Amino acid sequence: MTDIEGARERRVRTGGVDLCVAELGDPAAPTVVLVHGYPDSKEVWSAVAARLADRFHVVLYDVRGHGRSTAPKPLRGGFTLAKLTDDFLAVIDEVSPDRPVHLVGHDWGSVQSWEFVTVGRTEGRIASFTSMSGPSLDHFGHWINTRVRRPTPRRVGQLLGQGAKSWYVYLLHTPALPELAWRGPLGKAWPGILRRAEKLPAGDYPTASLPSDAAHGAWLYRDNVRARLRHPREDAYAHAPVQLITPLGDAFLSERLYDDLERWVPRLTRRTLPDKHWIPRTRPDQVASWIEEFVRSVEAGQDPRPTRTDRHAQRFGGQLVLVTGAGSGIGRATAFAFAEAGARVVAVDRDAEAAARTAELSRLAGAADAWAETADVSDEQAMEKLAEKVHREYGVLDVLVNNAGIGLSGSFFTTTTQDWRRVLDVNLWGVIHGCRLFGARMAERDQGGHIVNVASAAAYQPSRALPAYSTSKAAVLMLSECLRAELASRRIGVTAICPGLINTNITSTARFTGVDEAEERRRRERSARLYGMRNYPPEKVASAILEAVAHNRAVVPVTPEARGARWLSRLAPAALRRIARVEPKL
Ligand code: NAP
């Protein structure tokens, strides 16, 4: 029996211990071996394993002294990296004797996997390695040495930063104390600590073996850390392609630790996630999909991507992104920017042909996949149908960009109720429908995500010429702020983008009230000329959107005039009110 649902279990005898090995999926498929960390057992992988099992032969084992594997006797000296490598080889001899395996490690599972993938005796047995939150002790040792020998203010800062994050490593080196704590109060409190500090979902994890896993596992540190950091190996080069997934909010490891990794890994793919340490539990969809993509690309003999310089690709590669109003202007540029980062893009517009063109060009720009959908964002039923289809066929969104919007210019008394309805229906209700229908599934999935609402500088800059448009955008800004507060506990970020004057098609479709058709046409042409002269490209707004998601920003004014107005609205609102009285010459 094992705690992983549907798994077949076997025992592997090696070096005086008995390892508990669980298998899922078709043994004829490529083998993925998942190695757990500290304090953990193989069950940390249950959600990821379940997602990989219909495509791969998934193998998990309890590291010696953990879960249902037996502990070495004596414990001291029983957890050296050499012995852990013996265990790994014994497991793969049993489960995949003739074909190299794809190795995946988290925390100490990753630390030991770095050893497996950099020693000679495993050469040819590992096809790829995906590392999460666990550096090579050799690389770490060299990282420290470089900074101690050639200190600069930045390097000293990095050393102190990581030193502070490693407080628990010093404690684990004290005799007996960790064992007493884990078998006593800490063992009892740990599940609650994980839920509060790491936002782990409630459930059957960690398992009942936690106190003894944690007590035995203290020897992982004592047997290896000090010795290896003092005398790191000079030849710790990876002999298989490596995918590094770095959670950016890891409380125990600084992302700077991996700065020099290209020196040790000739074929390195980098990924980043805005999350904490236990991503196999908090982000199983993303983790499983990056493992799958990496394993498939290695099996197909393709070059790794993304590399060190592709910052957005590291963050957004493979993510599902939906953009409304994607047939033109800011929406189209945003779809392209996510496509270039390797995301899967759903381009939505009321104009079917324009949406199809955006999807087609997104594929050419590098999207992992791209689809076109037609919907009017102001139509609740159409949006419900769209959400149903997207969730059924493509999955739950990682990023939603509510961008579709229309312009409306004219004084309050020339704006009819019909004008008001139209602009609020598209600019405000369109955003509400998007947030409700797609945001609800994001929240329900509970694996993070991001919502971007395209508002406007008009949201905080009053104007006698744009009462309806500005009201609709001010509502979008406040909605975004409220939703951001509500969704923070679900790790879903919400951003309001306030572009400024951007050279797009909006001027030629905007409505001008209180004037005849000929005058409306003249005003459109004049404002199109004005926006053309300002000539701020939508691509810059698109890149501000990707940055805002990457850094989870709340409100982002884009152009200098939008930033200036934002600044005035806070520091000198009276000045902004005076400017609002000026009648624009159109
Ligand atoms: P754009 O070039 O006109 O693009 C907007 C796209 O949205 C068009 O393809 C449009 O289709 C589509 N759309 C309009 N109403 C829709 C609806 N009900 N359902 C689905 N799609 C719809 O304008 P943009 O400048 O990129 O504007 C994008 C967003 O930025 C808007 O929310 C706008 O208010 C905001 N914004 C723009 C500026 C600026 O200076 N351009 C400044 C601040 C804020 P059609 O072509 O068929 O209308």
Side-chain angles (χ1 to χ4, degrees):
M1 266 299 292
T2 163
D3 288 341
I4 311 268
E5 213 180 298
R8 312 176 287 279
E9 192 181 296
R10 64 166 103 186
R11 314 283 305 176
V12 173
R13 184 97 195 134
T14 163
V17 296
D18 218 7
L19 298 178
C20 175
V21 181
E23 284 170 85
L24 292 138
D26 178 4
T31 300
V32 176
V33 180
L34 306 169
V35 189
H36 70 79
Y38 174 87
D40 254 324
S41 60
K42 63 182 177 319
E43 282 70 23
V44 72
W45 290 116
S46 57
V48 173
R51 284 160 173 79
L52 295 173
D54 59 345
R55 278 147 281 178
F56 300 109
H57 174 215
V58 181
V59 176
L60 320 88
Y61 65 97
D62 285 321
V63 172
R64 51 173 54 209
H66 296 70
R68 270 198 272 269
S69 293
T70 60
K73 282 194 190 105
L75 291 169
R76 180 189 297 274
F79 289 84
T80 60
L81 287 169
K83 288 185 176 158
L84 297 169
T85 309
D86 292 340
D87 292 354
F88 167 68
L89 282 168
V91 170
I92 63 171
D93 280 347
E94 288 282 331
V95 298
S96 184
D98 309 317
R99 195 169 166 187
V101 301
H102 297 272
L103 179 60
V104 179
H106 173 249
D107 185 86
W108 253 94
S110 170
V111 174
Q112 55 179 298
S113 295
W114 274 112
E115 177 81 356
F116 309 161
V117 81
T118 55
V119 293
R121 62 196 173 115
T122 58
E123 222 160 312
R125 304 298 306 276
I126 300 171
S128 76
F129 168 39
T130 295
S131 160
M132 283 163 247
S133 293
S136 148
L137 292 182
D138 299 302
H139 302 165
F140 194 0
H142 287 291
W143 185 89
I144 294 172
N145 288 343
T146 319
R147 278 152 187 79
V148 171
R149 281 191 205 128
R150 286 193 292 277
T152 60
R154 204 169 64 98
R155 285 177 163 176
V156 172
Q158 291 175 352
L159 268 178
L160 293 175
Q162 181 54 48
K165 284 181 178 234
S166 297
W167 56 270
Y168 65 100
V169 180
Y170 318 126
L171 282 182
L172 282 164
H173 278 82
T174 57
L177 207 71
E179 281 84 346
L180 282 173
W182 280 116
R183 292 193 191 277
L186 186 56
K188 284 200 190 71
W190 190 245
I193 293 174
L194 281 185
R195 266 187 271 295
R196 277 190 304 277
E198 288 282 327
K199 309 280 180 242
L200 256 62
D204 52 3
Y205 170 87
T207 56
S209 63
L210 171 82
S212 79
D213 299 341
H216 290 150
W219 289 99
L220 290 166
Y221 292 85
R222 294 168 183 157
D223 278 352
N224 299 292
V225 172
R226 220 175 314 179
R228 257 326 153 85
L229 293 188
R230 273 194 200 147
H231 305 290
R233 284 163 48 220
E234 296 292 339
D235 62 348
Y237 297 103
H239 48 66
V242 177
Q243 168 170 241
L244 176 76
I245 303 179
T246 310
L248 299 172
D250 198 318
F252 309 105
L253 294 160
S254 153
E255 56 183 298
R256 297 277 73 84
L257 273 184
Y258 307 106
D259 279 358
D260 312 329
L261 205 54
E262 273 76 7
R263 174 183 162 199
W264 303 104
V265 185
R267 284 170 293 165
L268 180 64
T269 296
R270 288 178 179 262
R271 303 283 189 192
T272 57
L273 253 186
D275 214 315
K276 299 189 175 194
H277 185 74
W278 261 274
I279 53 175
R281 302 302 303 179
T282 54
R283 301 275 183 149
D285 284 352
Q286 183 63 82
V287 166
S289 106
W290 278 341
I291 294 171
E292 177 179 356
E293 193 187 324
F294 189 58
V295 168
R296 292 223 180 283
S297 74
V298 170
E299 290 275 319
Q302 288 160 358
D303 269 348
R305 56 169 226 183
T307 58
R308 187 180 180 138
T309 50
D310 309 328
R311 236 168 7 96
H312 287 319
Q314 291 177 23
R315 170 73 174 76
F316 298 117
Q319 295 210 327
L320 184 61
V321 179
L322 184 143
V323 183
T324 67
S328 167
I330 296 169
R332 178 171 272 182
T334 304
F336 291 165
F338 277 111
E340 277 167 18
R344 296 179 298 138
V345 175
V346 187
V348 178
D349 203 282
R350 62 179 170 193
D351 178 341
E353 235 173 77
R357 183 90 184 117
T358 301
E360 191 186 321
L361 292 171
S362 294
R363 255 176 252 121
L364 293 175
D369 219 330
W371 306 274
E373 298 294 342
T374 316
D376 179 337
V377 295
S378 66
D379 179 342
E380 183 174 4
Q381 280 184 352
M383 287 297 278
E384 274 170 6
K385 267 199 199 140
L386 172 73
E388 243 168 62
K389 182 174 180 201
V390 167
H391 291 137
R392 192 180 56 244
E393 295 188 7
Y394 317 132
V396 179
L397 299 184
D398 296 299
V399 181
L400 164 67
V401 185
N402 286 309
N403 160 76
I406 51 172
L408 178 73
S409 179
S411 74
F412 177 76
F413 290 112
T414 57
T415 306
T416 64
T417 48
Q418 211 184 346
D419 289 331
W420 272 97
R421 280 210 185 92
R422 186 67 198 139
V423 82
L424 289 176
D425 276 353
V426 177
N427 291 7
L428 176 58
W429 275 103
V431 173
I432 296 174
H433 294 322
C435 291
R436 273 190 58 241
L437 296 162
F438 292 103
R441 286 294 293 270
M442 250 186 216
E444 200 180 290
R445 177 177 66 164
D446 204 12
Q447 292 186 43
H450 204 100
I451 297 175
V452 177
N453 295 328
V454 179
S456 167
Y460 47 77
Q461 180 176 11
S463 147
R464 60 181 290 167
L466 299 168
Y469 182 78
S470 303
T471 303
S472 72
K473 293 300 187 178
V476 169
L477 179 62
M478 185 46 85
L479 166 65
S480 307
E481 292 270 25
C482 294
L483 204 54
R484 183 177 172 89
E486 182 171 340
L487 295 180
S489 62
R490 303 285 185 143
R491 292 164 298 142
I492 296 173
V494 181
T495 300
I497 298 284
C498 304
L501 296 188
I502 315 299
N503 192 10
T504 69
N505 237 358
I506 199 161
T507 43
S508 48
T509 51
R511 224 182 96 49
F512 289 79
T513 65
V515 292
D516 62 21
E517 259 181 51
E519 178 58 15
E520 185 172 39
R521 205 173 321 117
R522 199 191 64 76
R523 290 190 179 190
R524 277 184 184 150
E525 282 165 11
R526 199 178 137 70
S527 54
R529 267 201 308 280
L530 203 83
Y531 278 54
M533 269 154 58
R534 171 71 184 89
N535 203 18
Y536 197 94
E539 290 73 21
K540 281 199 181 175
V541 184
S543 83
I545 289 177
L546 268 68
E547 283 292 306
V549 179
H551 299 286
N552 190 14
R553 300 209 166 108
V555 180
V556 179
V558 183
T559 59
E561 62 271 17
R563 275 185 270 135
R566 175 85 174 148
W567 189 77
L568 276 182
S569 73
R570 286 153 146 196
L571 298 178
L576 212 55
R577 284 185 199 118
R578 268 197 295 279
I579 298 170
R581 291 181 194 173
V582 178
E583 193 167 359
K585 293 209 169 24
L586 281 174

